[in-house]
Amino acid sequence: MAAVLAMGISVPRHVLPLHELARARNVDPAKYRLGLGCKEMAVVAPGEDTVTLAAEATLSLLQNAPEYEPSKIGLLVVGTESGVDRAKPVAIWVHNLLGLSASCEVFDVKHACFGGTAALRMASLWADANPGRLALVVASDIARYPLNSPGEPTQGAGAVALLLGSCGRGEEVFTLSKRVGMYAAQVDDFWQPAYLKEAVVRGHYSISCYIESLKRSLEDYGEEPGNDPDFLVFHCPFPKMVKKAHAAMLEFLGKSYDVSEDFRRRVEPTLWVNERVGNAYTASVFLSLCGLIEALGGSLIGRTVGVFSYGSGSCAEYAVYTFGNGVKTSLDIKRRLDSREVINATQYERMRAECEALEQNGSYKGNVTNLGRFTFMGIQEHRRVYCGNNLRPE
Ligand code: CAA
């Protein structure tokens, strides 16, 4: 049976503390910290985009797990809603930047924040059908709302890479349950028209769509045989949303637990990365999962986590994953978060404008200096230019 064998993450190298944004927007900082549950917001700088974040997460994964041979990767799927081209997938640049085998199916999956989960499920079926080969899934996104909008403090960015293959050695990070609760419904809660740079969102309505999808997914999943999962991960657009979802879940399932105690025990250990990164759309649910793994490590072996993934528009799934011995490998998340450069609100707005300028044709000047391992250099004759260690020549 296929399982996730290794993971890697990446986050932008700059961070804006949300009390700085609150000051700039003349908002009580308690609204962001307590009302939304957010502490910090990851900010992309010129040179970073959805592709470089995905490539960096993949390189981290391959370095964390040298026992898996990259030439065996026969499927590469990127789940994203902040792709950089309407025709060309993010995945093909990642494939090139990592120098992966040409004998590989390479494509993106899109359904708002659900894309990474959809890719994971698809890759798991592919890995079952292709024993001996490996599948790579990367969830990578930059969450962006208009300046001064209610969504602005929930922005963030990041990527998580997951390597799947047949397991049998007991070294898997986790296995996915075959049983899945699903729910799909056409709703206009959050979307990004092709002619706009930022998402359009009906914020309070989107919260009710999320909760409705959670209930319907649980209903479709049916009664949990045996015990409750040991932990719960929810898609995290902002941590307070997860608190609302957890309370709604207990009520819907008719559980008479102490809500705060259950939250503290089964949910809180999953949220510390999201609090410090912000929303990363498709990657958010996996950042929570990585946070749990990093917080509890080997003590998770044999334990279970119920995972709820929601994508606006909408599609959702609830499934249960079981942890294996692979949870012992550290993803080095705390050091990555602590080593980011702290910026203020003026620098954030300047970086945002510089990133926008780099997205214009003719922006390539060969002068973007980014200390990351992969850099987006700009656009020349409508072609995106990247540099990185493992580039294959055309
Ligand atoms: N001190 C403490 N708390 C305060 C406060 C203060 N001074 N001022 C306000 N608050 C609290 C409010 O009481 C509220 O708490 P509750 O939700 O528990 O009632 C909370 O802070 C937020 O306040 P508002 O509702 O007034 O905030 P808002 O209207 O300005 O924006 C938002 C909130 C609608 C979530 C907005 O951030 C938004 O549009 N976000 C983007 C959309 C989103 O993330 N939707 C989630 C579901 S959709 C999804 O999950 C997909 C996805 O990734 C986008």
Side-chain angles (χ1 to χ4, degrees), residues 184-250:
Q186 198 297 114
V187 289
D188 289 325
D189 62 335
F190 165 105
W191 67 105
Q192 190 177 349
Y195 50 83
L196 290 184
K197 281 186 300 208
E198 287 122 359
V200 182
V201 58
R202 294 164 72 196
H204 294 276
Y205 176 58
S206 73
I207 293 174
S208 60
C209 293
Y210 177 120
I211 297 288
E212 180 64 13
S213 293
L214 170 64
K215 291 177 184 171
R216 299 282 81 83
S217 301
L218 291 169
E219 193 172 61
D220 192 50
Y221 188 81
E223 272 298 301
E224 181 70 56
N227 297 330
D228 289 341
D230 296 303
F231 297 94
L232 293 167
V233 157
F234 299 84
H235 165 58
C236 183
F238 53 93
K240 182 72 163 290
M241 180 73 240
V242 171
K243 204 163 196 172
K244 290 177 195 280
H246 167 256
M249 179 189 230
L250 293 193

Side-chain angles (χ1 to χ4, degrees), residues 121-196:
R121 189 145 299 278
M122 188 197 307
S124 158
L125 296 172
W126 184 94
D128 273 338
N130 292 275
R133 298 204 79 184
L134 297 168
L136 178 64
V137 168
V138 193
S140 179
D141 266 313
I142 299 168
R144 209 175 129 97
Y145 296 97
L147 291 174
N148 273 300
S149 68
E152 187 183 28
T154 71
Q155 293 177 138
V160 177
L162 306 99
L163 188 72
L164 292 98
S166 315
C167 67
R169 295 191 300 157
E171 288 306 314
E172 71 276 7
V173 181
F174 64 85
T175 47
L176 285 81
S177 61
K178 290 234 182 309
R179 185 169 172 199
V180 191
M182 305 169 205
Y183 180 69
Q186 198 297 114
V187 289
D188 289 325
D189 62 335
F190 165 105
W191 67 105
Q192 190 177 349
Y195 50 83
L196 290 184

Side-chain angles (χ1 to χ4, degrees), residues 16-330:
L16 174 66
L18 280 188
H19 59 82
E20 284 286 335
L21 183 67
R23 191 174 21 218
R25 299 293 176 253
N26 206 17
V27 168
D28 180 355
K31 175 174 177 184
Y32 296 167
R33 178 67 201 101
L34 304 174
L36 298 173
C38 308
K39 288 183 184 161
E40 296 171 344
M41 176 174 121
V43 177
V44 286
E48 291 171 323
D49 70 359
T50 306
V51 172
T52 64
L53 288 171
E56 173 62 35
T58 305
L59 186 54
S60 294
L61 181 155
L62 296 174
Q63 289 177 337
N64 279 347
E67 66 275 31
Y68 297 109
E69 178 47 57
S71 64
K72 289 193 175 157
I73 296 173
L75 178 75
L76 165 54
V77 192
V78 172
T80 185
E81 58 175 296
S82 49
V84 290
D85 188 288
R86 283 207 211 144
K88 203 166 169 175
V90 167
I92 196 64
W93 276 293
V94 175
H95 180 266
N96 181 246
L97 287 165
L98 273 298
L100 298 180
S101 160
S103 172
C104 189
E105 291 175 60
V106 178
F107 55 96
D108 287 359
V109 164
K110 179 175 78 175
H111 192 145
C113 305
F114 185 66
T117 307
L120 180 63
R121 189 145 299 278
M122 188 197 307
S124 158
L125 296 172
W126 184 94
D128 273 338
N130 292 275
R133 298 204 79 184
L134 297 168
L136 178 64
V137 168
V138 193
S140 179
D141 266 313
I142 299 168
R144 209 175 129 97
Y145 296 97
L147 291 174
N148 273 300
S149 68
E152 187 183 28
T154 71
Q155 293 177 138
V160 177
L162 306 99
L163 188 72
L164 292 98
S166 315
C167 67
R169 295 191 300 157
E171 288 306 314
E172 71 276 7
V173 181
F174 64 85
T175 47
L176 285 81
S177 61
K178 290 234 182 309
R179 185 169 172 199
V180 191
M182 305 169 205
Y183 180 69
Q186 198 297 114
V187 289
D188 289 325
D189 62 335
F190 165 105
W191 67 105
Q192 190 177 349
Y195 50 83
L196 290 184
K197 281 186 300 208
E198 287 122 359
V200 182
V201 58
R202 294 164 72 196
H204 294 276
Y205 176 58
S206 73
I207 293 174
S208 60
C209 293
Y210 177 120
I211 297 288
E212 180 64 13
S213 293
L214 170 64
K215 291 177 184 171
R216 299 282 81 83
S217 301
L218 291 169
E219 193 172 61
D220 192 50
Y221 188 81
E223 272 298 301
E224 181 70 56
N227 297 330
D228 289 341
D230 296 303
F231 297 94
L232 293 167
V233 157
F234 299 84
H235 165 58
C236 183
F238 53 93
K240 182 72 163 290
M241 180 73 240
V242 171
K243 204 163 196 172
K244 290 177 195 280
H246 167 256
M249 179 189 230
L250 293 193
E251 189 187 352
F252 182 76
L253 295 176
K255 306 277 184 189
S256 54
Y257 307 151
D258 176 331
V259 179
S260 307
E261 196 282 321
D262 192 62
F263 181 84
R264 193 193 48 70
R265 190 171 51 82
R266 291 203 291 164
V267 186
E268 214 162 71
T270 73
L271 288 177
W272 64 278
V273 181
N274 309 81
E275 286 173 356
R276 299 190 60 190
V277 170
N279 197 354
Y281 293 158
T282 54
S284 272
V285 71
F286 299 113
L287 288 177
S288 304
L289 199 59
C290 290
L292 176 65
I293 291 171
E294 198 75 345
L296 298 183
S299 69
L300 290 173
I301 297 167
R303 301 178 85 186
T304 55
V305 56
V307 179
F308 174 68
S309 179
Y310 174 72
S312 289
S314 63
C315 192
E317 96 165 35
Y318 175 76
V320 175
Y321 304 169
T322 304
F323 293 111
N325 283 320
V327 287
K328 286 186 291 195
T329 308
S330 168

